[in-house]
Amino acid sequence: MKTQVNTSVKLPSALHARVVNLAEIRQRSTHAVMLQAIETYVEREEKREAWRQEGIAAWEEYQRTGLHLTNAEVKEWLSELAEGNNVEPPKCHL
């Protein structure tokens, strides 16, 4: 069984009413609706942060090495893939 921690969240009354309304429509508890909302938000933000960190790492790698591809090179490669051609990605260059 997962360990659970009690916490409290103070919601503006209008938001609380929306949660209650949605819970009633979905025939779920307000707790279940809020839990799902928090899980969905946290998963999305974790993915967004991972993507941001990848971008930072890529920028740092570019700053260190100068290796890159042009937009035209990437577009051409992606076009080949979209046409079903199994082509290798272009080689990075200075």
Side-chain angles (χ1 to χ4, degrees):
M1 183 174 175
K2 294 180 183 179
T3 303
Q4 295 185 352
V5 177
N6 288 332
T7 189
S8 101
V9 177
K10 294 183 180 182
L11 299 177
S13 59
L15 179 56
H16 181 264
R18 291 168 60 196
V19 171
V20 169
N21 183 55
L22 186 58
E24 288 172 358
I25 291 169
R26 299 284 167 85
Q27 297 181 347
R28 299 179 70 196
S29 68
T30 55
H31 171 82
V33 170
M34 289 188 286
L35 184 60
Q36 181 62 53
I38 292 168
E39 287 176 352
T40 300
Y41 174 81
V42 169
E43 287 173 5
R44 183 187 72 221
E45 291 303 310
E46 286 172 339
K47 287 177 185 175
R48 183 177 289 168
E49 183 58 25
W51 183 76
R52 192 178 81 81
Q53 290 301 320
E54 287 177 27
I56 290 169
W59 175 250
E60 289 171 350
E61 178 73 7
Y62 168 72
Q63 292 292 308
R64 190 176 62 74
T65 66
L67 294 174
H68 68 283
L69 295 172
T70 66
N71 185 45
E73 292 166 333
V74 173
K75 282 177 129 178
E76 183 179 333
W77 173 59
L78 292 175
S79 291
E80 289 288 329
L81 292 176
E83 291 175 12
N85 301 323
N86 189 16
V87 294
E88 292 293 318
K91 298 290 183 202
C92 291
H93 54 83
L94 294 176

